[in-house]
Amino acid sequence: MLINKDMKMADVIHLDHHLLYVINRFNIQLGFEDKSVADVCAEHQVNTSFFLEIVNTYHDPSYFPLKNLKRFSPSLLIDYLQKTHHYYLGIKIPEIEQYINQLTLNNKIEPAHSKLLVDFFQSYKTELTAHISREEQRVYPYVKKLEEFLSLVDDGEVSLHEINEYSIQKYEEEHDDVEAKLYDLKNIIIKYLPSPNDSSLFNKILHDLFELERDLNNHGRFENLILVPIVEKMEKDLVKKLK
Amino acid sequence: MQRLSILIIEQSFIIREGIKTLLSQMNQPFSMEEVDEFVIDLPKLLRKTKPNLVLINPKYIGTDIVLPRTNNSKIIFAAILQGEIEPNIKSKFECCLQIDADKQTLSKQFEEMIEKGAGKKKIQQNSTLSEREISILKLVALGLTNNDIGEKLYISTHTVMTHRKNITRKLGIKTVSGLTVFAILNNIIKAEEYR
Ligand SMILES: [Fe+2]
Ligand SMILES: [Fe+2]
């Protein structure tokens, strides 16, 4: 079932509570009363149709309307992607990290094993941080520059050297998958660690890993299937404009 | 899983939808061509739709029909049955879908059809590593590249890659660091050996 603008925001959460984290990225917090999605979006100056496409693609992975999604402005998209990055590095990763560090305090778990997990997760964190900072420092500023140049009335102000050293094709080539290690970590915990006396802390970790993986999956699709083609088109438009 | 290309000849909308729901719940990828009226020229319809599974309500093809079989393309014909049906109709089909059966029975009937369509029984995937795979896993976990491993074991890099794919499939672990953790947990390498 797809979410529409007339549904009550509270019902949206009842339908799929995973959306809570997504909704927060739009600076929308709880306390929805009986307001509709459109009302809540208007109240927070959020573009309702963009909001709907984001929650629907998240809610139903088989729903991914390329055409609709490519209509949105790159800055809207980048803003959302950036908020998602902040959520990963500022909230989700520290949360999982805290759980994993707690494993070392549990004397029922072999210290060598908890150390393996701590080290593994640290190396994942480093990898994800590097991935994200490459996007934020290299790719997004480039896209913003393109957008700025395209909106200029006077072509004389376009300074090509600022954009010539990068192209979205480079991003496409070097954009690696950040989910593989998460997948491994899940299997290590589910299948290969000796059974713990009490699984509850592991359950929390697994729950968070599944949640993060789903999120990253959606995020990656936006980067590869939406951001890349939008920017490719901008690059072509700029070449045309300068002719 | 292999994608099923299904042709269904059945008037009831509810039954067609129900079959789709069941297949999606079984995580079976499929595409479905739907015909909701009496079929006069079945061979032509088959040529047009190229299915590998045909679900037919026998009422809609006539009782005297001979199902077109060809040797080169294997098509499974299954009857959509409700209640008691004459055995001579039933015998024309490879499989039956008893639509008044419960969910578990229906899923089983579908699994049978899918297996017949694939031409072989599902083999239980063996997930234990062979000795060769363990020796390769060990070298991967120690940080050797595919090239290094090939040289060390006198096999081609391509062969190393094939082994690695199998290891990943069997263990459900994709990355080198994941394989290293696995190898330490299973005493294939010692933690001190690593790095
Ligand atoms: Fe990203
Ligand atoms: Fe990314």
Side-chain angles (χ1 to χ4, degrees):
Chain A
M1 179 181 155
L2 286 183
I3 295 154
N4 64 60
K5 69 177 180 17
D6 299 317
M7 272 171 85
K8 287 182 184 166
M9 192 64 107
D11 292 339
V12 173
I13 304 303
H14 280 292
L15 176 72
D16 183 352
H17 68 271
H18 298 277
L19 294 173
L20 279 169
Y21 310 103
V22 180
I23 287 173
N24 292 162
R25 279 166 219 168
F26 290 90
N27 294 326
I28 297 174
Q29 307 298 336
L30 296 169
F32 303 128
E33 297 171 0
D34 276 327
K35 288 177 209 152
S36 68
V37 170
D39 291 339
V40 176
C41 284
E43 206 172 281
H44 291 83
Q45 279 118 46
V46 168
N47 178 328
T48 311
S49 47
F50 184 64
F51 178 87
L52 284 172
E53 296 296 7
I54 296 285
V55 290
N56 276 319
T57 55
Y58 200 89
H59 170 59
D60 177 1
S62 69
Y63 175 80
F64 207 76
L66 287 173
K67 243 203 203 138
N68 290 358
L69 296 169
K70 285 188 207 158
R71 277 188 339 227
F72 295 107
S73 83
S75 43
L76 197 61
L77 188 61
I78 285 182
D79 184 53
Y80 173 74
L81 293 173
Q82 245 163 347
K83 292 243 171 66
T84 314
H85 288 163
H86 293 166
Y87 167 75
Y88 297 149
L89 297 184
I91 298 175
K92 202 71 191 171
I93 294 288
E95 185 180 310
I96 303 174
E97 193 174 21
Q98 203 189 345
Y99 286 146
I100 291 189
N101 289 340
Q102 275 177 40
L103 291 173
T104 57
L105 306 174
N106 186 331
N107 55 16
K108 299 253 169 56
I109 300 168
E110 179 99 29
H113 292 167
S114 46
K115 185 174 184 308
L116 275 178
L117 293 184
V118 170
D119 291 349
F120 189 87
F121 192 72
Q122 283 309 315
S123 81
Y124 177 68
K125 186 181 164 186
T126 312
E127 187 185 304
L128 183 66
T129 311
H131 180 108
I132 287 176
S133 72
R134 200 161 51 232
E135 290 176 344
E136 303 229 337
Q137 283 164 20
R138 192 109 185 92
V139 189
Y140 299 170
Y142 168 74
V143 179
K144 288 196 171 143
K145 263 271 146 0
L146 276 178
E147 197 176 25
E148 185 197 319
F149 288 161
L150 277 168
S151 68
L152 286 177
V153 191
D154 179 7
D155 293 347
E157 286 173 50
V158 175
S159 54
L160 277 176
H161 70 273
E162 283 187 76
I163 47 170
N164 267 351
E165 60 201 69
Y166 199 70
S167 81
I168 203 68
Q169 202 195 331
K170 263 190 207 153
Y171 173 63
E172 214 182 343
E173 284 160 12
E174 68 188 15
H175 191 221
D176 43 17
D177 149 37
V178 281
E179 287 127 78
K181 271 203 172 114
L182 280 186
Y183 173 87
D184 289 359
L185 184 54
K186 281 185 341 197
N187 265 340
I188 288 168
I189 298 175
I190 298 172
K191 297 170 74 177
Y192 301 120
L193 277 183
S195 315
N197 282 17
D198 173 8
S199 295
S200 54
L201 188 51
F202 286 110
N203 291 350
K204 284 186 198 161
I205 295 172
L206 282 173
H207 176 87
D208 272 355
L209 293 176
F210 276 108
E211 193 91 37
L212 178 59
E213 194 184 32
R214 173 176 171 174
D215 211 317
L216 284 169
N217 225 300
N218 180 269
H219 183 83
R221 286 175 89 193
F222 272 94
E223 291 177 334
N224 294 327
L225 302 176
I226 308 299
L227 185 67
V228 169
I230 286 182
V231 179
E232 266 170 0
K233 182 163 181 301
M234 289 169 80
E235 289 174 337
K236 282 198 195 110
D237 288 349
L238 188 66
V239 171
K240 253 188 249 158
K241 182 179 149 98
L242 293 179
K243 258 182 195 162
Chain B
M1 218 179 301
Q2 194 200 343
R3 193 182 176 81
L4 272 186
S5 156
I6 301 174
L7 167 66
I8 184 166
I9 304 171
E10 164 63 63
Q11 196 181 27
S12 159
F13 168 74
I14 298 265
I15 292 177
R16 296 196 311 264
E17 287 303 302
I19 289 174
K20 284 188 223 165
T21 305
L22 182 66
L23 286 169
S24 347
Q25 287 180 2
M26 290 169 67
N27 284 325
Q28 171 62 50
F30 68 95
S31 57
M32 189 183 271
E33 202 64 53
E34 302 176 42
V35 177
D36 63 355
E37 56 190 6
F38 194 91
V39 173
I40 298 164
D41 194 347
L42 186 58
K44 187 175 161 199
L45 185 61
L46 292 176
R47 277 197 304 277
K48 231 173 68 192
T49 53
K50 298 196 181 63
N52 44 33
L53 173 63
V54 188
L55 300 168
I56 303 175
N57 183 333
K59 269 192 258 170
Y60 298 102
I61 51 168
T63 41
D64 51 347
I65 184 103
V66 179
L67 292 172
R69 318 256 175 196
T70 50
N71 297 330
N72 43 10
S73 69
K74 191 159 166 53
I75 304 178
I76 300 292
F77 291 94
I80 302 175
L81 302 176
Q82 194 168 15
E84 283 301 309
I85 294 278
E86 298 166 55
N88 70 327
I89 291 184
K90 219 170 157 176
S91 64
K92 289 182 181 169
F93 293 89
E94 277 112 342
C95 310
C96 292
L97 196 63
Q98 197 74 42
I99 54 156
D100 28 23
D102 62 14
K103 186 174 177 182
Q104 214 178 357
T105 317
L106 281 168
S107 309
K108 225 177 246 146
Q109 289 177 345
F110 260 113
E111 268 163 27
E112 263 169 44
M113 280 178 224
I114 294 163
E115 256 169 37
K116 273 191 191 158
K120 55 176 183 242
K121 276 227 163 244
K122 236 190 278 166
I123 337 155
Q124 190 64 44
Q125 290 278 5
N126 182 8
S127 62
T128 45
L129 298 181
S130 68
E131 252 170 69
R132 190 57 154 184
E133 284 162 351
I134 290 175
S135 58
I136 287 170
L137 170 64
K138 182 171 177 173
L139 297 174
V140 172
L142 289 172
L144 274 74
T145 64
N146 289 345
N147 250 332
D148 298 341
I149 298 172
E151 272 173 32
K152 209 163 175 144
L153 301 177
Y154 307 107
I155 52 180
S156 72
T157 317
H158 181 80
T159 312
V160 178
M161 273 154 60
T162 310
H163 282 301
R164 285 194 57 170
K165 263 190 214 137
N166 290 334
I167 295 170
T168 289
R169 179 178 48 76
K170 286 182 178 179
L171 299 181
I173 298 183
K174 297 174 182 171
T175 66
V176 173
S177 19
L179 291 171
T180 306
V181 172
F182 176 88
I184 295 174
L185 285 175
N186 288 280
N187 297 315
I188 294 169
I189 62 169
K190 289 198 185 71
E192 309 84 74
E193 263 181 289
Y194 171 58
R195 250 179 281 253

